[in-house]
Amino acid sequence: MTDLTERFRGIFTALITPFKDGAIDYAAYDALVERQIEAGVAGLVPVGTTGEAATLSDDEAEALIARTVRLAAGRVLVMAGAGANDTKKTVEKVQRAEAAGADALLIVTPYYNKPTQAGLAAHYKAAASATRLPVMLYSVPGRCGVEIEPETCATLMKACPNIVAIKEAGGAPERITRLRAAAGDALIIHSGDDGLALPFLSLGAIGVTSVVANVAPREMVGLVNAFRKGDTATALKLHELIAELTDGMFIESNPGPVKAALALSNLAGPEMRLPMVPVSDANRDRLAGILGRFNSAASAFQEIR
């Protein structure tokens, strides 16, 4: 197993971007980052979907990446979001993220355009050729309308040695087997769906790019670590412990629910940038109940342990 593979193993938190009165709340962000590192995550993902990258300016995105690198101080890998639906803009984002000190890049499939597989291949080749950093492809058809076919992934890995990984967020565990068959076991695979973390790990994924970890980093880290040690019973218990919380994080479009949960936990505010708005009052109340049950169950689990 290569050192690079080991660096991608574990929980990578898809960080929110907290806002206050329209601006980035850096104090809250710094505290969130430190909480993640203390919980034992392997990586941090600033400026992704959960970080509301679509409504961040290029300067804000670069500043957040540089800040995350500085806060991490080499303790965890920083994989910066660097995608757009315009290849030229994606290349610019890639170059700015590298200049900001990122360790790796997460590049989403172009949204809205719905390119063919040939278009995806050309897009990713251009982006990967613009950087020396390791690249994780990001296939999320629910948001982008197109997914990266396993054969396209294999072709890209052969053409671009720095394309080494994929975040698979299509909700289909069988995709893992198809990806491994096409690209081989050198392909690093992350689950992009918290609720599928355990089945993905059992099929060959080595990590999770996690939304839930914003709220429950220790439990997510514990799940992956238990599985890695062969303690599948504990991994299953942790999967079941976070199940309702995981469902709750997606009762409205991400990151509305996770921001609401963090606000209920007094860790960050619920503010979002239009066209995203905070969750409804009814869903906020529902999340409060879910969070209360999760906290009680997590405390009981730790006492048993």
Side-chain angles (χ1 to χ4, degrees), residues 14 34 40 111 118 217 250:
E34 192 59 36
Y111 38 87
F250 300 96

Side-chain angles (χ1 to χ4, degrees), residues 16-253:
I16 69 152
T17 301
F19 298 116
K20 187 175 183 180
D21 299 325
I24 297 172
D25 184 347
Y26 284 112
Y29 186 80
D30 293 358
L32 288 169
V33 166
E34 192 59 36
R35 179 172 181 261
Q36 295 298 316
I37 295 172
E38 289 177 356
V41 303
L44 298 169
V45 186
V47 195
T49 304
T50 307
E52 297 177 74
T55 53
L56 295 174
S57 71
D58 289 342
D59 287 344
E60 285 176 326
E62 186 172 349
L64 272 172
I65 294 166
R67 193 179 192 92
T68 309
V69 170
R70 185 168 65 253
L71 293 167
R75 293 177 289 173
V76 298
L77 189 145
V78 176
M79 180 168 64
N85 68 337
D86 175 313
T87 302
K88 182 180 178 181
K89 289 180 182 178
T90 298
V91 168
E92 292 170 355
K93 287 177 181 290
V94 160
Q95 293 171 335
R96 292 187 71 151
E98 182 169 7
D103 300 307
L105 302 172
L106 177 65
I107 304 179
V108 72
T109 52
Y111 38 87
Y112 186 76
N113 311 60
K114 294 185 71 174
T116 63
Q117 293 300 304
L120 286 177
H123 173 81
Y124 276 115
K125 285 177 184 177
S129 297
T131 180
R132 293 173 295 177
L133 296 179
V135 171
M136 177 178 281
L137 310 176
Y138 181 10
S139 185
V140 54
R143 281 189 180 264
C144 299
V146 63
E147 67 181 359
I148 304 168
E149 291 295 335
E151 294 74 20
T152 303
C153 183
T155 297
L156 282 167
M157 288 181 70
K158 291 177 182 176
C160 306
N162 60 328
I163 294 179
V164 298
I166 186 168
K167 176 185 174 183
E168 177 55 41
E174 63 269 19
R175 281 260 302 175
I176 303 304
T177 301
R178 290 181 56 210
L179 284 163
R180 286 171 58 83
D185 59 10
L187 174 63
I188 297 166
I189 301 173
H190 270 209
S191 172
D193 297 296
D194 285 287
L196 293 175
L198 188 53
F200 269 48
L201 291 170
S202 71
L203 290 167
I206 67 167
V208 184
T209 302
S210 172
V211 174
V212 173
N214 280 280
V215 179
R218 292 190 185 280
E219 289 74 19
M220 290 302 300
V221 169
L223 188 160
V224 174
N225 287 348
F227 182 87
R228 186 180 181 187
K229 294 174 183 176
D231 185 359
T232 54
T234 297
L236 179 58
K237 287 179 181 177
L238 284 164
H239 166 82
E240 293 170 344
L241 189 152
I242 66 166
E244 186 185 20
L245 181 64
T246 297
D247 290 344
M249 292 302 94
F250 300 96
I251 56 175
E252 290 188 19
S253 295

